[in-house]
Amino acid sequence: MQSVELRDYARQMLESLGPKAIAEAAQKATKLEEAGKREEAETWRRIEATLKEMTGPHQS
């Protein structure tokens, strides 16, 4: 998946799931890692990282 596609997908997830999008991406990555599907898991880790970039640091 290209960077532009990742960003578009992450944006769509953020719009539909809100703050739960990061957790959803992380859970999918973990399940894929446990199933031995490394390439797919890596894509979800990249989506997770993109979501974190898009939401910025959390403020306390």
Side-chain angles (χ1 to χ4, degrees), residues 1 6-7 17-18 21 23-26 28 31-33 35-37 39 43 45 49 55-56 58 60:
M1 194 178 277
L6 280 173
R7 195 155 186 83
L17 298 173
E24 180 74 20
K28 287 184 182 213
K31 286 183 181 183
L32 288 164
E33 288 165 349
K37 298 180 179 180
E39 286 186 36
T43 297
R45 290 292 177 203
T55 57
H58 295 289
S60 56

Side-chain angles (χ1 to χ4, degrees), residues 7-48:
R7 195 155 186 83
D8 285 345
Y9 194 81
R11 182 185 46 76
Q12 290 171 8
M13 284 186 69
L14 196 55
E15 287 175 1
S16 65
L17 298 173
K20 295 179 183 179
I22 295 171
E24 180 74 20
Q27 288 173 351
K28 287 184 182 213
T30 299
K31 286 183 181 183
L32 288 164
E33 288 165 349
E34 290 171 353
K37 298 180 179 180
R38 292 186 336 194
E39 286 186 36
E40 293 173 47
E42 180 59 30
T43 297
W44 280 102
R45 290 292 177 203
R46 290 175 60 202
I47 292 170
E48 178 187 7

